[in-house]
Amino acid sequence: MNITDPFLDRDGDKLREECGIFGVLGARDAAAMAALGLHALQHRGQEAVGITSFDGQEFYSRRGIGHVAANFSSGQAIAELPGMMAAGHVRYSTTGGSGLRNVQPLFADLASGGFAIAHNGNISNAMFLKRDLVQKGAIFQSTSDTEVIIHLVATSRYPTLLDRFVDALRLVEGAYSLICMTPEGMIACRDPLGIRPLVMGKLGDAVVFASETVALDVVGAELLREVEPGELVQVSLDGAISSHRPFGNEAGRPCIFEHVYFSRPDSIMGGRSVYQVRKAIGAELAIEAPADADLVIPVPDSGVPAALGYAQQSGLPFELGIIRSHYVGRTFIQPSDGARNLDVKRKHNANRALVEGKRIVLIDDSIVRGTTSLKIVQMMRDAGASEVHMRIASPPTEHSCFYGVDTPERSKLLAARMDVEAMAKFIQADSLAFVSIDGLYRAVGEAQRNAARPQYCDACFSGDYPTRLTDLAEREDQGQLALPVEKVA
């Protein structure tokens, strides 16, 4: 995984992970377990972290800017969060901006009692819904799209909390995995297409939910299964589990970029090892885009599994031609604006003794703006590489994501402005190739992409958005949209 920090990526040249959520009910040390689980999900959001707990009578919350370890490593911090139920969230803001008031879980006192919610994803009609709610008298305390759900639950007229929650979600478009806490227990759910991930585990009598299986591993919980697309799993305070399918059984379209980059390689997604899928992507890339070269070199760390797969398939040696520093963080002070160009040098350094005089294949997970790829290629040339061939373990990122991933506007995506040949010239590589979209689908176990009904959400590559994008359509003239919008009845 790459560290997505504004000090490390000033050019915005990596797709930033959405968020990570974790919930546990039935554990004596629920808050401590939540902190440990969130630590395992730190790669999904490094801007802020929050945990809310419930002791059977009261809700308690603690939130902070920065990493989990900086906010929840002390016994005092955990002691402020008593109870056997807790939910937490690590955040990188995609909607609503930064600031403590947007740090989740968000909490409100409803007529039925306390209600806390942690959300991974993005609501694509949040502004439309918020405008209507404000006109009816709602007062928002944050600028997060997640708060819209709280207001929809609060204003629903259905008799039970679960029914009000379902009623609220029927009005919501976009992507969401949610963990909610109420005085009655915990509810975990995914949107009807399952765009964002969520898994369920067990540790003794405790039920655990998390964005990725690695969080279950770290707390010692056994993976039971994924929460299915459109499913709501309700867990009462006494541990009784019930499953609800209010949205039917529509085939899911989980985000395929989880396999490419977002998830930790030691996680399991859709029953498949993320690490093995990334190796398989590299193998597909070697078949589709071979290179006459001496070495295969990953751009660390996210390019490593794909580079291993490429090397094994091609028969070329795998070498660590770029060494990454693991000690670059927010405390680094830039002496001047000119020093920004040294960001790549601070993070990565060429292994000159290995690279000099060699024809190399560089493997990375994606190209967004292209600025980082340009610097990495130049670094290899400065270290004496005779040829630099760039291979990318995903198709060209031509479209923005509106489902919880912070991508630049389309006009700033290199692949939206240039063909592959022009991109190769821009990054100054001797050659450039991307894995095909069918090759990516083969790596995740499909024969090919079903163009009529894709098995995954791949909108960032294809422009095929699986839901309405109401807020976007309101901002721009429908006839002038650069992004094709699929209208869903």
Side-chain angles (χ1 to χ4, degrees):
M1 72 186 169
N2 283 352
I3 301 298
T4 52
D5 184 302
F7 282 86
L8 306 187
D9 183 25
R10 290 181 178 270
D11 294 323
D13 203 27
K14 279 292 182 186
L15 300 182
R16 296 184 186 273
E17 291 90 344
E18 325 91 291
C19 290
I21 56 177
F22 185 94
V24 56
L25 190 155
R28 190 184 331 186
D29 53 350
M33 188 182 296
L36 186 59
L38 291 175
H39 191 272
L41 299 173
Q42 186 73 84
H43 59 287
R44 299 185 71 88
Q46 300 173 55
E47 181 180 283
V49 57
I51 296 176
T52 298
S53 70
F54 180 66
D55 66 358
Q57 299 293 326
E58 299 288 341
F59 286 86
Y60 304 85
S61 291
R62 182 182 174 94
R63 301 179 292 172
I65 303 299
H67 289 186
V68 178
N71 289 281
F72 292 100
S73 58
S74 70
Q76 179 182 350
I78 299 301
E80 294 177 7
L81 300 165
M84 298 181 68
M85 179 169 66
H89 186 274
V90 287
R91 181 171 194 264
Y92 176 77
S93 59
T94 58
T95 296
S98 59
L100 201 58
R101 65 175 176 162
N102 289 320
V103 179
Q104 299 185 28
L106 299 183
F107 175 81
D109 274 311
L110 307 184
S112 56
F115 185 84
I117 184 170
H119 172 207
N120 170 209
N122 204 61
I123 298 171
S124 58
N125 65 336
M127 295 306 298
F128 174 84
L129 294 171
K130 181 175 181 179
R131 183 171 62 246
D132 181 63
L133 287 163
V134 169
Q135 288 174 350
K136 293 177 180 177
I139 300 173
F140 281 75
Q141 300 299 313
S142 76
T143 56
S144 169
D145 60 335
T146 309
E147 191 178 356
V148 167
I149 298 175
I150 296 177
H151 286 278
L152 292 174
V153 173
T155 55
S156 173
R157 296 184 178 277
Y158 278 83
T160 70
L161 178 61
L162 183 65
D163 287 338
R164 291 197 293 274
F165 187 51
V166 171
D167 184 40
L169 295 182
R170 289 190 190 280
L171 299 174
V172 167
E173 299 169 5
Y176 55 83
S177 283
L178 302 171
I179 295 175
C180 304
M181 298 197 309
T182 77
E184 300 170 2
M186 182 170 284
I187 304 170
C189 68
R190 291 173 78 184
D191 65 77
L193 295 177
I195 297 174
R196 301 266 67 90
L198 191 63
V199 296
M200 177 181 178
K202 203 82 160 51
L203 179 59
D205 294 329
V207 180
V208 185
F209 298 97
S211 292
E212 295 183 37
T213 61
V214 65
L216 303 184
D217 296 338
V218 167
V219 302
E222 173 193 1
L223 172 65
L224 294 179
R225 62 180 179 86
E226 290 190 347
V227 177
E228 295 295 325
E231 181 185 18
L232 280 76
V233 179
Q234 188 175 27
V235 186
S236 65
L237 291 180
D238 61 6
I241 301 173
S242 58
S243 173
H244 308 270
R245 303 300 296 261
F247 309 111
N249 293 287
E250 187 174 358
R253 288 183 65 175
C255 172
I256 202 166
F257 217 92
E258 291 282 352
H259 289 286
V260 174
Y261 175 68
F262 293 136
S263 296
R264 267 181 48 163
D266 46 344
S267 282
I268 305 295
M269 285 279 166
R272 294 184 175 274
S273 159
V274 173
Y275 176 80
Q276 293 296 342
V277 166
R278 289 177 186 169
K279 283 188 67 178
I281 296 172
E284 289 286 343
L285 192 54
I287 294 168
E288 295 179 354
D292 188 10
D294 303 309
L295 300 175
V296 176
I297 292 175
V299 177
D301 287 330
S302 56
V304 171
L308 283 168
Y310 191 101
Q312 291 174 5
Q313 179 65 41
S314 66
L316 295 173
F318 170 93
E319 296 288 356
L320 296 179
I322 301 172
I323 307 302
R324 184 172 82 85
S325 171
H326 291 262
Y327 301 99
V328 182
R330 288 182 178 271
T331 55
F332 185 89
I333 303 300
Q334 295 282 3
S336 68
D337 287 343
R340 294 179 180 183
N341 290 328
L342 299 177
D343 274 357
V344 170
K345 287 276 190 181
R346 291 195 297 114
K347 291 186 290 182
H348 302 114
N349 191 47
N351 189 346
R352 176 179 288 274
L354 186 71
V355 169
E356 192 167 14
K358 297 294 196 305
R359 301 168 300 168
I360 64 171
V361 182
L362 276 177
I363 309 290
D364 204 356
D365 59 86
S366 61
I367 291 180
V368 182
R369 298 174 187 257
T371 50
T372 297
S373 297
L374 171 63
K375 293 173 185 177
I376 292 289
V377 169
Q378 186 60 51
M379 181 191 299
M380 294 293 96
R381 295 203 187 280
D382 291 344
S386 60
E387 296 179 14
V388 182
H389 302 276
M390 194 86 178
R391 298 293 181 265
I392 304 300
S394 63
T397 304
E398 297 185 33
H399 303 272
S400 300
C401 177
F402 299 96
Y403 299 121
V405 180
D406 186 41
T407 52
E409 59 189 61
R410 195 181 180 201
S411 63
K412 295 180 180 178
L413 295 171
L414 193 66
R417 299 187 288 113
M418 302 179 183
D419 61 18
V420 174
E421 184 178 354
M423 292 172 73
K425 290 181 180 178
F426 178 86
I427 67 172
Q428 300 178 13
D430 291 284
S431 70
L432 170 67
F434 297 78
V435 73
S436 69
I437 198 159
D438 280 338
L440 177 57
Y441 270 74
R442 285 191 293 271
V444 296
E446 303 287 346
Q448 62 183 14
R449 181 181 187 265
N450 182 346
R453 215 303 181 174
Q455 303 93 316
Y456 288 86
C457 178
D458 55 24
C460 55
F461 308 132
S462 67
D464 184 354
Y465 293 92
T467 75
R468 286 189 293 253
L469 301 175
T470 297
D471 289 345
L472 179 68
E474 284 201 347
R475 287 198 304 269
E476 303 184 42
D477 178 10
Q478 271 295 81
Q480 299 298 318
L481 273 180
L483 302 167
V485 178
E486 176 185 346
K487 287 297 181 183
V488 181

